[in-house]
Amino acid sequence: LFWDKINKESKTKGGDRLNIGIILAAGEGKRMKSRHPKVLHKICGKPMISYVLEEATNANIEKKVVVVGHKKEELIAYLKETDSIIKEQPTGTNDPYGTAFAVMQAIDEVEDNDNVIILCADTPLITSLSLRNLIEYHKNTNSIATVLTTILEDPTGYGRIIRKSNGDLLKIVEQKDASEDERKVNEINSGIYCFNGKALKDSIKKIDNNNVQNEYYLTDAIEILNSLGLRVSAYKIDDFEEIIGVNSREQLAYASKIMQKRINRYHLDNGVTIVDPDSTYIEPNVSIGYDTIIFPGAEIERGSRIGENCIIRGITRISNSIIGDNCEIESTLIESSIVGNNCHIGPFAHLRPNCRLEDNVKIGNFVEIKNSSIGENSKAAHLSYVGDAEVGKNVNIGCGVVFVNYDGKNKYRSIVKDNAFIGSNSNLVAPVIVEEYGYIAAGSTITENVNEGDLSIARARQVNIQGWVKKKGLIKHK
Ligand code: UD1
Ligand code: CA
């Protein structure tokens, strides 16, 4: 028998059959009510499908074939940046539909001896550990097909796992085709399977669409293989959260919550205090050092790295940025920037892309900085705009200082060297250089360079006109 032969072969070869993943992503995703493909909807900032692809890779599934169909253009553009093979499922109104038809589109990629792992791109919480365990179980039980299952308190909508009286797997029945008794079964089909390549190829040809939805159900392969007397099994996992399918916005929110909980738990385990994990949003691939404390309202995204012993408070978003140790950041937006150690930022500051703050910098209330570097121990404590500037060490930027970097056509850079002092409410009209220890009087509009150690005053001299108000008859009650 062919099956005996491959089982023997796989044993003698140490079971080193190739793992190939077929990832189904051609469905309509109707219930999402979206113009975009369902599987590109994001969970914690990352498209659903990318979680599935990554976990597959981590489970040693190196060859990944994605079946696309509905709204495929956007999905194909995305997948071209990944290492997956793309197969298209026809989606005309008269074309067949269903998970078996989807798998059919990828079947040419399957060799008889492969372990074929079927994944759904809309089941983003599956972990590589469970996939590895599924493959192991499949091998150890010498099964021809193994389905990953779990128990759900409310199994509504999922395919039900129907077992024989001895507990062996018999078949999978879809909710819509299930009898009343079958609907009572709490063990559900995850939509994730491991098939022997040849078994999959042979059984899929026999699947028909005689069911309530007139779809070609991949789940029927189980009953078909069973009836051929081949060994099919169910591998049940306890963590039902891994199997949550996303078909609606509500399920998307639910899956996002679970992912957020997982990510936050990872940081908690790594010595980060998250005061309220339910209201803290951290994307995957973010790193945070020991003893950093994160208060509610923080959003840390796009691979940001936060150092040790920082405090992050208020509605703060840190995106694609690096923050050093011992920083305090309050109600602030930081984008694509680098912050040194011991910095104090906020409340209500905004670091726009391409800023670099050295150590001990203080950026205070309502300060906006863009494409600028600020040297050690420098301060801009209140109400300033610093754009396209190079600011040295120990510089004090007074309240309300504006770096006037734009003349309506072009942008220019300014340089402020170490130990300079920029008085409050001054304008530095770029391009301009303030040399070391250059002092600028409050209220100046600086258009020329300031030499080292000079004081620069650039405002009209004050004139006091004696008795002017009285002369004008403006004093009423004296
Ligand atoms: C499917 C399973 C069900 C299981 C559930 C787990 C079948 C018949 N049912 O149901 O037993 O409990 O997943 O989440 O397999 N797809 C295609 N092409 C198609 C149809 C679907 O690629 O023609 C893709 C979808 O994009 C999706 C996946 O297959 O990624 C599952 O399809 P979906 O329609 O969501 O199946 P469910 O009804 O959830
Ligand atoms: Ca689904």
Side-chain angles (χ1 to χ4, degrees):
L1 253 167
F2 179 83
W3 312 112
D4 290 337
K5 194 169 147 255
I6 37 179
N7 281 337
K8 238 181 253 154
E9 263 175 22
S10 72
K11 269 185 213 154
T12 50
K13 283 184 185 164
D16 56 349
R17 287 173 278 180
L18 180 74
N19 294 327
I20 140 162
I22 298 178
I23 295 119
L24 307 185
E28 275 196 80
K30 257 193 206 148
R31 286 166 280 176
M32 291 298 283
K33 301 198 176 125
S34 173
R35 308 207 189 281
H36 305 283
K38 173 166 81 174
V39 300
L40 286 188
H41 283 266
K42 289 178 178 172
I43 289 183
C44 297
K46 236 168 72 170
M48 260 190 251
I49 192 169
S50 75
Y51 287 96
V52 178
L53 293 172
E54 271 174 33
E55 293 305 310
T57 304
N58 293 337
N60 292 329
I61 300 170
E62 303 224 308
K63 181 170 165 183
K64 290 170 297 249
V65 187
V66 181
V67 182
V68 303
H70 285 277
K71 302 179 185 139
K72 65 181 176 215
E73 289 75 20
E74 201 183 337
L75 187 53
I76 289 173
Y78 176 81
L79 289 170
K80 280 196 170 147
E81 307 293 309
T82 70
D83 63 347
S84 45
I85 299 164
I86 303 167
K87 294 283 171 182
E88 296 185 28
Q89 172 183 334
T91 53
T93 35
N94 295 320
D95 286 315
Y97 191 78
T99 43
F101 183 62
V103 169
M104 196 74 103
Q105 313 309 311
I107 211 77
D108 287 351
E109 298 289 332
V110 174
E111 300 290 332
D112 285 352
N113 277 336
D114 290 347
N115 287 317
V116 188
I117 296 89
I118 309 285
L119 294 153
C120 294
D122 68 348
T123 308
L125 299 172
I126 188 70
T127 64
S128 59
L129 181 66
S130 292
L131 292 178
R132 276 171 199 272
N133 289 342
L134 169 71
I135 297 165
E136 274 309 297
Y137 187 89
H138 176 79
K139 285 180 185 168
N140 294 341
T141 53
N142 284 325
S143 298
I144 264 337
T146 307
V147 52
L148 184 72
T149 75
T150 195
I151 304 287
L152 284 188
E153 208 172 291
D154 176 11
T156 310
Y158 290 89
R160 306 298 205 281
I161 300 296
I162 309 301
R163 290 175 181 269
K164 302 175 195 163
S165 50
N166 67 358
D168 285 353
L169 176 60
L170 174 62
K171 60 175 176 175
I172 303 170
V173 182
E174 290 306 290
Q175 159 104 13
K176 288 185 178 150
D177 301 287
S179 68
E180 217 170 293
D181 275 350
E182 286 168 337
R183 284 187 190 190
K184 286 183 190 144
V185 173
N186 285 73
E187 188 178 4
I188 60 105
N189 169 24
S190 64
I192 298 168
Y193 323 75
C194 185
F195 279 95
N196 160 263
K198 177 147 173 58
L200 180 64
K201 286 200 245 179
D202 288 355
S203 57
I204 207 162
K205 284 187 216 143
K206 301 192 173 122
I207 294 174
D208 61 34
N209 64 348
N210 295 329
N211 53 56
V212 173
Q213 309 191 83
N214 292 319
E215 287 182 15
Y216 292 84
Y217 292 162
L218 180 61
T219 45
D220 286 355
I222 299 297
E223 196 178 7
I224 291 169
L225 291 169
N226 226 337
S227 67
L228 292 172
L230 300 166
R231 188 176 175 83
V232 294
S233 16
Y235 172 62
K236 187 163 76 187
I237 60 170
D238 292 332
D239 185 1
F240 66 88
E241 290 186 339
E242 288 196 26
I243 281 172
I244 302 288
V246 175
N247 301 303
S248 62
R249 303 272 178 169
E250 191 183 0
Q251 286 170 332
L252 180 70
Y254 183 49
S256 300
K257 262 273 166 247
I258 293 168
M259 188 60 76
Q260 184 184 310
K261 211 167 62 182
R262 269 192 203 168
I263 294 168
N264 289 352
R265 196 187 301 136
Y266 164 84
H267 292 291
L268 293 167
D269 286 346
N270 273 325
V272 178
T273 294
I274 300 175
V275 176
D276 179 11
D278 281 340
S279 53
T280 304
Y281 173 93
I282 304 173
E283 288 185 356
N285 306 324
V286 162
S287 80
I288 308 175
Y290 284 168
D291 297 315
T292 285
I293 304 174
I294 302 176
F295 283 85
E299 220 178 298
I300 306 173
E301 58 175 36
R302 296 183 56 211
S304 291
R305 287 189 271 146
I306 316 280
E308 295 188 6
N309 209 37
C310 293
I311 299 178
I312 297 171
R313 287 177 194 275
I315 307 295
T316 286
R317 180 153 72 94
I318 299 174
S319 181
N320 185 35
S321 292
I322 300 172
I323 312 290
D325 298 333
N326 305 311
C327 291
E328 211 171 321
I329 299 169
E330 178 143 14
S331 304
T332 282
L333 171 54
I334 299 179
E335 305 170 273
S336 306
S337 288
I338 300 174
V339 172
N341 301 318
N342 310 312
C343 290
H344 197 292
I345 307 175
F348 316 115
H350 184 182
L351 302 195
R352 287 168 53 199
N354 207 17
C355 290
R356 191 189 175 99
L357 273 47
E358 301 297 336
D359 295 349
N360 304 312
V361 167
K362 181 177 161 55
I363 303 300
N365 308 255
F366 306 104
V367 173
E368 175 180 341
I369 306 186
K370 186 211 81 174
N371 190 27
S372 294
S373 60
I374 313 277
E376 270 174 46
N377 299 313
S378 290
K379 288 190 181 96
H382 338 263
L383 300 154
S384 288
Y385 172 61
V386 181
D388 301 313
E390 209 174 291
V391 175
K393 297 179 199 164
N394 305 315
V395 171
N396 188 72
I397 296 171
C399 177
V401 168
V402 173
F403 282 64
V404 184
N405 60 330
Y406 184 52
D407 64 3
K409 256 192 194 157
N410 297 305
K411 303 241 161 97
Y412 301 94
R413 291 190 72 79
S414 291
I415 300 173
V416 176
K417 297 201 178 161
D418 298 350
N419 301 301
F421 182 97
I422 318 294
S424 290
N425 202 32
S426 294
N427 302 308
L428 300 186
V429 181
V432 85
I433 300 173
V434 180
E435 297 289 347
E436 280 193 42
Y437 283 105
Y439 268 54
I440 291 171
S444 294
T445 292
I446 298 297
T447 54
E448 312 274 328
N449 292 347
V450 176
N451 292 332
E452 184 171 336
D454 284 0
L455 169 68
S456 204
I457 308 176
R459 55 168 127 94
R461 210 169 251 289
Q462 184 168 330
V463 177
N464 290 343
I465 302 174
Q466 238 176 21
W468 184 90
V469 178
K470 194 174 176 199
K471 230 185 288 171
K472 287 271 171 185
L474 294 171
I475 296 179
K476 297 207 170 91
H477 303 295
K478 255 189 183 170

